[in-house]
Amino acid sequence: NKMNTTNYIMSKKLRLESHKLVDILCKCDGSKDALAFAPDMAFFVLGFKDLLQICKVANPKTDDDFTINTHCDEDSHHWLWYLEDIEYLEKLSVKNTLNVRSGTAYARQVWSHDNYKIRLHTYCMASLLLNAETTRERLVIIDCLEAAFSVFITALNHTTQKSNLFETLRYFGKEHYIDEAGHDQGSWLDKTRDKNDLDFYDSKLCDVVDVIFDGFQSLFTAWANTLIDI
């Protein structure tokens, strides 16, 4: 009785929800320093812009092709929100944001050994997308990314609301949350995603799901360690 692909993604999402980063964010006492991990997300967030470009179908023909391209276009500007938020957090003197204003210092931080797993997962995602042989495989990758991000942003909402930043921040706040919940094909945030197209079992696709969620486990650990160390 093997799970279909959607249920397999859901099982991995549920496991990610029990990560220590989620626990830390949900138990935030209102301190803005709970966002101290934000600068360490830079490589992934900025790299995500290119992942979306790689994911797009060059000559779309089917409804699924157009769905993928629409989704990629909907998310293509989020990296700009991230940069705005990082600058704002630096102005608030949030811990770990000291290097943001210096290009070379920030580069050293982003490419540090501590952030290696973040960079590695971004490379792995690029490899998966470049080697995706079918539109369905791209759809599964997108679904995994959205499911994982829904875990992150749902927990993050506890932090931004308690620290009174939910309305102000764009990438880490209300605007991004609403944008994610409003995707044309539905969202893992509000459970409106039409997942009937993934109502099957495919061992290769489940291997892809494993790689993606294992990577997010590593990302969450890196970001949680930043909060633990400050």
Side-chain angles (χ1 to χ4, degrees):
N1 296 324
K2 295 177 178 177
M3 295 186 202
N4 64 34
T5 307
T6 293
N7 288 340
Y8 194 65
I9 294 172
M10 178 60 75
S11 72
K12 292 291 184 176
K13 176 178 178 286
L14 288 172
R15 180 168 175 259
L16 194 61
E17 287 173 354
S18 66
H19 194 282
K20 62 183 176 182
L21 175 66
V22 174
D23 187 56
I24 292 171
L25 293 177
C26 287
K27 291 180 178 177
C28 170
D29 61 4
S31 169
K32 293 177 174 58
D33 288 331
L35 287 163
F37 67 91
D40 294 324
M41 293 179 65
F43 194 92
F44 180 75
V45 176
L46 301 187
F48 196 77
K49 176 183 186 295
D50 292 332
L51 295 180
L52 293 172
Q53 190 62 41
I54 295 170
C55 190
K56 290 185 72 172
V57 181
N59 298 298
K61 297 181 177 64
T62 68
D63 288 344
D64 283 346
D65 291 343
F66 286 105
T67 294
I68 287 172
N69 287 1
T70 297
H71 182 99
C72 292
D73 288 339
E74 287 173 346
D75 282 358
S76 63
H77 59 289
H78 291 171
W79 66 285
L80 294 171
W81 292 352
Y82 172 80
L83 293 178
E84 288 180 29
D85 284 0
I86 291 299
E87 289 184 342
Y88 186 76
L89 293 174
E90 189 269 339
K91 290 177 182 177
L92 294 178
S93 299
V94 170
K95 289 183 179 179
N96 201 38
T97 62
L98 183 63
N99 294 328
V100 169
R101 290 285 174 173
S102 169
T104 54
Y106 195 24
R108 289 190 187 98
Q109 178 176 340
V110 172
W111 270 269
S112 68
H113 177 72
D114 289 342
N115 286 325
Y116 169 69
K117 291 291 182 67
I118 299 170
R119 301 191 301 275
L120 180 62
H121 186 49
T122 310
Y123 301 141
C124 286
M125 291 302 309
S127 177
L128 288 175
L129 287 167
L130 287 167
N131 289 289
E133 297 176 352
T134 64
T135 295
R136 178 155 283 177
E137 192 170 346
R138 284 188 172 90
L139 283 171
V140 168
I141 293 171
I142 287 175
D143 239 26
C144 288
L145 291 170
E146 291 299 316
F149 191 79
S150 74
V151 174
F152 172 73
I153 199 169
T154 299
L156 185 69
N157 284 352
H158 290 275
T159 298
T160 54
Q161 288 176 6
K162 287 181 181 177
S163 57
N164 296 316
L165 291 171
F166 184 67
E167 300 286 342
T168 307
L169 298 178
R170 303 188 72 186
Y171 184 89
F172 294 102
K174 181 179 179 180
E175 192 165 0
H176 198 175
Y177 183 85
I178 291 174
D179 216 44
E180 289 300 315
H183 275 307
D184 280 353
Q185 85 278 21
S187 171
W188 283 91
L189 287 169
D190 57 15
K191 308 299 188 297
T192 61
R193 173 75 168 90
D194 180 4
K195 303 179 182 71
N196 292 330
D197 56 342
L198 301 179
D199 190 20
F200 61 91
Y201 173 79
D202 185 304
S203 60
K204 179 185 176 183
L205 291 180
C206 286
D207 287 344
V208 169
V209 174
D210 285 339
V211 170
I212 295 172
F213 277 92
D214 286 350
F216 274 104
Q217 289 282 345
S218 294
L219 259 64
F220 277 30
T221 297
W223 300 336
N225 287 343
T226 295
L227 295 178
I228 293 169
D229 291 341
I230 62 171

